[in-house]
């Protein structure tokens, strides 16, 4: 059939275009407006459809699929409620720069605007929560728009793209010609920096006495090549490196130049290295408020370089001395070449003194905790043991949102990119479980674990049905502290210990819940049983729900209280926070 | 912290003339809390389907830079140019001004219109509609003078602008 043009229905054109884009899987939920697509799906076998239990979960699955593979995740939902249910997922993907294409059904074109059954202004609703969106009014545009959507979703700073598809367009007929190579008329993100900028980066790095690399999700977005280049450059310069929550895995965590995550719940050494450095090199990280703390106190003595593919990320929160627009892999590749060409002399004495200082901060051992063998299970201990037993395996970790997420980020060591999926920008409870299912579908042999909280997990628990249907042996590792722990921690610190509505009352019996969904349920209540529980969880080739009963009172430290400077960290429960009125207004 | 100065800038934005493009631009301003002092839009190239949007906005220098970068991120945006910083430029606005009156006031309004080079584009026994173009200040001055002479209504286009010299957009 090569090159030959066939007359196809809109739905068939859509599926053709998807497979020409290399799509092997879509996450979806049917309804009236998308029945033609479901009919076309039924009649082909190139694209696998995964039936979810809620459209929000479909988007998170696509995110998990995308972030663990570097490919575009694809979602299919019906009009009206299908589309509105997807909105949280789309916003999540926008905030965390995840490439997703979401196909939404729409009422036929002649009914648009008439408040027809299950009509919603999907392009209107999703305009602010997508990178771009389309309403396809003519079948002639369908193939082009679909290919363009994939190009936009994955290029530059990746993000979600919605294609709204009226039912009459799906049923109309037209010829299809492959346009998988299609770009957009005008959208061409800049990926290469110019030579003067590269030279400047090398000069500033070579001249620094207390440099620190601050790398983020942009390195993951840029691909494994970017991680390799970053690792090489950090080794060449001998500088310390810290990673954001979104960047974990971009640099091997066991490497001695890695000083841990920075930010609100980052390590003491990472935040102080930032605060006291004379040069910060931001590599695909966006100076988020969780990282900077009080902005006027942020790294005042440091010159700043910011490498980012999105010009709007540069000078948004923090004014920098050198902003470089480009793709991390390309820019760092050029920086490495220039560094090797010049072989600049670095001030070894200054660097040694800098490391001596960092080692002193490290010696504070800010992540320490005590597990009393007869006391309640410490959440940190549970995660340490989980890490211990999964080290040798190909492991992917997702999380929900809360204290458990932060403990996971602090304690789990990621040696490679694309192994850690978490909702950072939007902080969406309910993200982790569906994301884990998407990861598992993309990596059937891997061990995929959602480190969860008992409150978050209930937000998309219905996906146990999806796990059962597709026999996805995802592990839900619930750190059950019987509280919305992160909320309780803030109430303890900022609101006089008035725990308003943050107790997880009337929880289900997670073991029975698992069983009713054809999964395995395990409960663990004593420190001495943690190892056996984790071993059993890993041994079962089925979805497993672990109800790990942990200390309800444990708080997550270190912590930069809201509104405080990034060097004013609370290291433990005995330190009292002085929080300003301004701090109280921050989230 | 030192108070940063608020500057007013005129931005010219070339966009694909497609459904929803204005909503994207306006939504960006409202969603991110930027100011729009005025906004004009019309197609300028009917073959390539390009529209030109002129936006007058104000903010600190850092916010103005953000606005330009955010506009540049919108997929249908081809080009953003900050006329305020990119050299000498022209600004023009057009207004229609309706004035009703008889006798001495009617004569006076015509006389002032003449001084301002405003044209009467509609006249009845008891009214005029003047068309006036020029700088926004000139239009404001004209409208202010008409207030005492039976001003009924004003419709202004907002500013359109262009760089001086041969250089294209
Ligand atoms: C409860 C909670 C607590 C949190 N605490 C912390 C904390 O302590 N520390 C912390 O770091 N975060 C924390 N976060 C996450 C935080 O909110 C932000 O999501 C995170 O800091 C942003 O990470 P990032 O800077 O790496 O940017 P991302 O959101 O990953 O953005 C990536 C950046 O890279 C750019 N980029 C993308 N692709 C490329 C490319 N190919 N080439 C070049 N550049 C590219 C993008 O334009 C963007 O600027 C927390 C979140 C929650 C929910
Ligand atoms: C959808 C959504 N609603 C509300 C919040 C605010 N929030 C952040 S953390 C948290 C508590 C999470 O509790 P749990 O899942 O038990 O995790 P823990 O902090 O106890 O580890 C809440 C309510 C959120 N992030 N997402
Ligand atoms: Mg909890």
């Amino acid at each position: 059939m090569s090159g030959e043009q066939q007359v196809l229905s809109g739905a068939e054109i859509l599926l053709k275009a998807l497979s020409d884009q290399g799509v092997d899987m879509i996450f979806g939920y049917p309804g009236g407006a998308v029945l033609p697509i479901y009919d076309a799906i039924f009649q082909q076998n190139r694209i696998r459809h995964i039936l979810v239990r809620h459209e929000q979960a479909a988007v998170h699955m696509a995110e998990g699929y995308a972030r663990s593979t570097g490919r575009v995740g694809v979602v299919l939902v019906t009009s009206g409620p299908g589309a509105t249910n997807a909105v949280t997922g789309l916003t999540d993907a926008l905030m965390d720069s995840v490439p997703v294409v979401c196909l939404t059904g729409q009422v036929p074109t002649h009914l648009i605007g008439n408040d027809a059954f299950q009509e919603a202004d999907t392009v209107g609703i999703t305009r602010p929560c997508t990178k771009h969106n389309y309403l396809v009014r003519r079948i002639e545009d369908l193939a082009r728009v679909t290919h363009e959507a994939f190009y936009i979703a994955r290029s530059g700073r990746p993000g979600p793209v919605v294609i709204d598809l009226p039912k009459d367009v799906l049923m109309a007929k037209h010829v299809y010609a492959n346009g998988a190579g299609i770009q957009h008329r005008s959208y061409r993100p800049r990926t290469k920096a110019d030579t003067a900028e590269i030279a400047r980066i090398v000069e500033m790095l070579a001249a620094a006495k207390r440099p620190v690399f601050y790398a983020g999700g942009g390195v993951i977005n840029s691909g494994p090549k970017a991680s390799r280049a970053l690792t090489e450059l950090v080794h060449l310069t001998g500088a310390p490196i810290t990673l954001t929550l979104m960047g974990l895995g971009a640099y091997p965590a066991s490497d001695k130049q890695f000083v841990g995550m920075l930010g609100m719940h980052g390590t003491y050494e990472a935040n102080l290295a930032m605060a006291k450095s004379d040069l910060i090199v931001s590599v695909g990280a966006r100076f988020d408020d969780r990282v900077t703390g009080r902005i006027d106190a942020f790294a005042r003595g440091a010159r700043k370089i910011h490498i980012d593919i999105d010009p709007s990320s540069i000078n948004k929160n923090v004014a920098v001395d050198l902003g470089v627009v480009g793709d991390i892999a390309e820019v760092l590749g050029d920086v490495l070449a220039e560094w090797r060409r010049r072989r600049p002399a670095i001030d070894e004495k200054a660097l040694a003194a800098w490391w001596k200082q960092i080692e002193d901060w490290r010696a504070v051992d800010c992540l320490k905790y005590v597990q009393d063998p007869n006391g309640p299970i410490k959440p940190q201990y549970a995660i340490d043991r989980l890490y211990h037993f999964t080290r040798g395996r190909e492991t992917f970790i997702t999380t929900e949102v809360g204290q458990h997420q932060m403990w996971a980020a602090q304690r789990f060591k990621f040696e490679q990119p694309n192994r850690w999926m978490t909702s950072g920008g939007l902080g969406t409870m309910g993200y982790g479980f569906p994301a884990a299912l998407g990861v598992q579908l993309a990596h059937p042999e891997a061990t995929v674990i959602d480190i969860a909280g008992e409150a978050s997990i209930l937000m998309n628990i219905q996906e146990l049905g999806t796990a059962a249907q597709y026999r996805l042996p995802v592990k839900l590792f619930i750190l059950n502290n019987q509280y919305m722990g992160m909320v309780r921690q803030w109430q303890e610190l900022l609101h006089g210990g008035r725990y308003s509505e943050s107790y997880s009352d009337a929880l289900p019996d997670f073991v029975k819940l698992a069983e009713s969904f054809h999964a395995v349920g395990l409960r663990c209540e004593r420190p001495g049983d943690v190892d056996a529980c984790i071993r059993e969880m890993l041994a079962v080739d089925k979805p497993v729900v672990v109800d790990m009963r942990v200390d309800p009172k444990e708080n997550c430290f270190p912590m930069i209280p809201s509104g405080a400077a990034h060097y004013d960290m609370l290291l433990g429960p005995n330190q009292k926070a002085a929080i300003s009125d301004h701090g109280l207004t921050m989230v | 912290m030192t108070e940063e100065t608020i500057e007013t800038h005129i931005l010219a934005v070339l966009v694909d003339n497609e459904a929803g493009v204005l909503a994207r631009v306006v939504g960006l301003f409202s969603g991110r809390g930027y100011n729009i002092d005025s906004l004009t839009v019309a197609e300028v190239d009917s073959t390539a389907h390009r529209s030109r949007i002129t936006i007058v906005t104000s903010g600190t220098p850092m916010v103005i830079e953000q606005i330009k970068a955010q506009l540049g991120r919108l997929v249908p945006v081809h080009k953003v140019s900050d006329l305020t910083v990119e050299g000498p430029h022209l600004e023009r606005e057009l207004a229609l001004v309706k004035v009703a009156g008889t006798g001495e006031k009617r004569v006076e309004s015509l006389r002032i219109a003449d001084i301002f080079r405003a044209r009467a584009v509609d006249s009845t026994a008891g009214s005029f509609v003047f068309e006036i173009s020029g700088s926004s200040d000139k239009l404001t001055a004209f409208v202010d003078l008409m207030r005492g002479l039976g001003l009924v209504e004003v419709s202004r286009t907002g500013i359109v602008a262009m760089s001086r010299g041969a250089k294209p957009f």
Side-chain angles (χ1 to χ4, degrees), chain A residues 127 133 186 310 312 315, chain B residues 16 23-24 62 66 73 78:
Chain A
R127 203 175 282 126
N133 62 12
S186 57
D310 180 354
S312 81
N315 289 322
Chain B
D16 285 324
R24 287 184 209 284
M62 207 154 150
Q66 244 322 279
R73 275 175 96 189
H78 289 251

Side-chain angles (χ1 to χ4, degrees), chain A residues 347-384:
Chain A
D347 186 341
E348 298 287 353
K349 241 178 88 191
L351 194 62
W354 181 220
W355 272 109
K356 161 96 189 35
Q357 169 72 83
I358 292 168
E359 291 306 337
D360 287 348
W361 292 327
R362 252 185 188 158
V364 168
D365 195 10
C366 67
L367 299 180
K368 67 173 173 281
Y369 66 96
V370 182
Q371 175 64 67
D372 172 354
N374 301 313
I377 301 170
K378 291 288 179 188
Q380 298 94 321
Y381 176 72
I383 290 175
D384 284 355

Side-chain angles (χ1 to χ4, degrees), chain A residues 453-455 479 481-485:
Chain A
E454 83 295 337
L479 297 178
N481 54 6
Q482 298 169 62
Y483 276 99
M484 298 172 193

